[in-house]
Amino acid sequence: MITAIICAAGKGERAGFNKNKVLAPLFGEPVLYLTLKKFNIEYIDEIIVTCSPQDMTEISAICKPFNAKVVLGGATRTESVFCALKEALGDIVLIHDGARPFVSEKIILDCIKSVKAHGSGICCTPLTDTAIISNSGKTVDKAVDRSTLFAVQTPQGFLTKDIIRAHTMAQLSGLTFTDDSAIYSKYIAPARLFEGESANKKLTFKNDFYTLPPLNISGDIKIGYGVDTHAFGSENNFVTLCGEKIECDNGLIAHSDGDVAVHAVMDAILSGAGLKDIGHYFPDTDEKFKGASSLKMLEKVVELALDKGYCVGNLSLTIQAEKPRLAKHIDKMVKNLATVLQIEDKNITVSAGTCEGLGFVGEGLGICATAVACLKTATV
């Protein structure tokens, strides 16, 4: 029997999301959900997820479809893993970072094979950059032979009885360890390495969410088109466009927050994925959408598209408005969309223009937005 322990008890503060990074969206799903999908395979008999008390409700909900057991972690990663090990039923255990959703089935199988053959299996990749030692962080003190250096990844696999014994001794020592291979190597035996993949990166900083490994692209490209218009007339002294509140002499009439730009994007994605329009999923007769954030609604649209097997490759959005002036806000608007769509800024274009006094928009009666979305069938 093989147990997979997924470490998700950290805070993920370096990612800057004001919440655990494994709960942040990636291609329309929480990072942890995507990681769990990779271990939901026939070779894994049991999944245990560590979490902190504040994340227990949300992580438990994510784990439910996978029948994964959730256990409270400790103050450190080592303590959290030890808590999970006490619950493990398998005679082999694989320990994996919840923030590594790009792990492949091949890596998982190679880890299991290494444990069966050698008692341990540590996923790693050779270091390709030149390595140096600098005591000051300002000057080169010594060059290091990079052929002897490897970057350690997860999963890390062990015979359960051995890694429990190692962790027990580690708890008594009071020493600090950064991963389980270090604990095993100190108290049991030198851990056995096997070659991982560069794509198996850990999401640590916010920028990691925008510099992702390539998706496995297959199938045809789908193009979606969306358009939306809202009239001025509310008592607000601002309009909301792509999540940005922008000063204006009056606001747009709408049931939600009136983000006409995001509404066009939503319809473009839905049409490209072969789904119904936003009125079907977010009817203006439903009170729960009154004043709702359109960016939150866009998150749901991304999920709907992903359920159909599509993610956004790139997006072109045009906003027509006589007022307010938008040029200085466009960069922030692009970043807001990129965060929700989980694509790089360079794959989003937002342009703004007037109608030269012509028509509904030109007369200053409202704002119109059109969007074209390129969708790709993809797996992560």
Side-chain angles (χ1 to χ4, degrees):
M1 183 173 178
I2 298 174
T3 297
I5 293 175
I6 309 299
C7 301
K11 296 180 180 178
E13 293 173 330
R14 288 179 291 178
F17 288 117
N18 297 317
K19 64 178 179 180
N20 192 336
K21 65 190 173 188
V22 301
L23 301 176
L26 186 70
F27 305 119
E29 302 285 3
V31 170
L32 179 60
Y33 181 87
L34 297 175
T35 302
L36 287 170
K37 282 176 70 174
K38 295 301 181 69
F39 284 86
N40 189 36
I41 54 179
E42 60 179 313
Y43 315 104
I44 304 298
D45 302 292
E46 177 186 46
I47 301 176
I48 301 174
V49 179
T50 67
C51 80
S52 60
Q54 61 266 32
D55 294 333
M56 175 61 81
T57 300
E58 193 167 355
I59 284 181
S60 294
I62 293 171
C63 291
K64 189 173 181 180
F66 304 99
N67 293 317
K69 184 174 184 178
V70 182
V71 300
L72 285 174
T76 66
R77 185 186 188 282
T78 300
E79 291 178 8
S80 296
V81 171
F82 195 34
C83 291
L85 285 170
K86 294 175 184 177
E87 304 291 330
L89 298 178
D91 54 347
I92 289 176
V93 62
L94 309 187
I95 302 169
H96 186 70
D97 299 322
R100 286 188 192 268
F102 301 104
V103 62
S104 67
E105 185 170 332
K106 179 181 183 303
I107 286 179
I108 295 171
L109 289 177
D110 285 349
C111 188
I112 294 171
K113 290 176 184 176
S114 181
V115 176
K116 289 181 176 180
H118 308 289
S120 61
I122 309 301
C123 184
C124 69
T125 56
L127 197 66
T128 56
D129 294 326
T130 296
I132 57 99
I133 294 175
S134 176
N135 294 318
S136 65
K138 297 179 180 179
T139 59
V140 175
D141 294 331
K142 183 181 179 182
V144 181
D145 180 4
R146 69 183 177 194
S147 67
T148 65
L149 299 178
F150 295 81
V152 176
Q153 302 178 335
T154 64
Q156 298 180 5
F158 311 93
L159 295 176
T160 306
K161 60 181 180 61
D162 288 341
I163 194 64
I164 286 179
R165 183 156 64 93
H167 267 270
T168 300
M169 289 187 281
Q171 292 293 317
L172 295 173
S173 73
L175 298 176
T176 300
F177 298 88
T178 57
D179 75 341
D180 303 284
S181 69
I183 297 173
Y184 181 90
S185 296
K186 180 171 180 61
Y187 296 110
I188 305 299
R192 182 79 175 201
L193 303 178
F194 72 91
E195 187 169 355
E197 299 167 358
S198 60
N200 183 27
K201 67 181 291 186
K202 184 179 181 181
L203 301 174
T204 302
F205 303 102
K206 184 173 286 189
N207 188 56
D208 293 333
F209 285 72
Y210 309 123
T211 55
L212 300 173
L215 295 172
N216 297 319
I217 303 299
S218 62
D220 296 329
I221 291 175
K222 303 292 185 181
I223 304 295
Y225 175 77
V227 60
D228 196 31
T229 303
H230 280 287
F232 286 113
S234 80
E235 295 180 356
N236 291 334
N237 60 354
F238 64 88
V239 297
T240 301
L241 295 172
C242 299
E244 287 296 305
K245 285 188 176 181
I246 303 169
E247 262 187 56
C248 194
D249 55 11
N250 59 6
L252 297 171
I253 299 171
H255 183 64
S256 64
D257 62 3
D259 196 329
V260 60
V262 170
H263 295 171
V265 172
M266 291 165 64
D267 260 340
I269 296 171
L270 289 168
S271 68
L275 297 165
K276 296 182 179 180
D277 64 21
I278 59 174
H280 175 80
Y281 300 101
F282 310 99
D284 59 11
T285 54
D286 192 331
E287 283 300 303
K288 73 180 177 182
F289 299 120
K290 186 172 179 60
S293 164
S294 293
L295 284 180
K296 289 292 185 184
M297 290 155 58
L298 179 58
E299 287 183 7
K300 179 60 178 177
V301 167
V302 171
E303 292 177 11
L304 291 170
L306 194 65
D307 286 343
K308 294 281 287 187
Y310 298 108
C311 64
V312 177
N314 64 285
L315 172 74
S316 177
L317 170 66
T318 300
I319 304 169
Q320 292 182 308
E322 295 294 320
K323 60 178 182 179
R325 296 299 182 185
L326 302 177
K328 65 181 181 181
H329 302 285
I330 285 178
D331 286 348
K332 289 184 178 179
M333 293 159 69
V334 168
K335 287 190 178 299
N336 291 345
L337 290 172
T339 297
V340 176
L341 299 179
Q342 294 300 336
I343 59 178
E344 295 183 63
D345 294 7
K346 67 180 182 181
N347 292 328
I348 298 176
T349 300
V350 176
S351 57
T354 68
C355 285
E356 301 296 335
L358 301 175
F360 173 82
V361 172
E363 293 174 14
L365 300 178
I367 296 178
C368 179
T370 57
V372 177
C374 173
L375 305 187
K376 300 175 181 179
T377 54
T379 58
V380 297

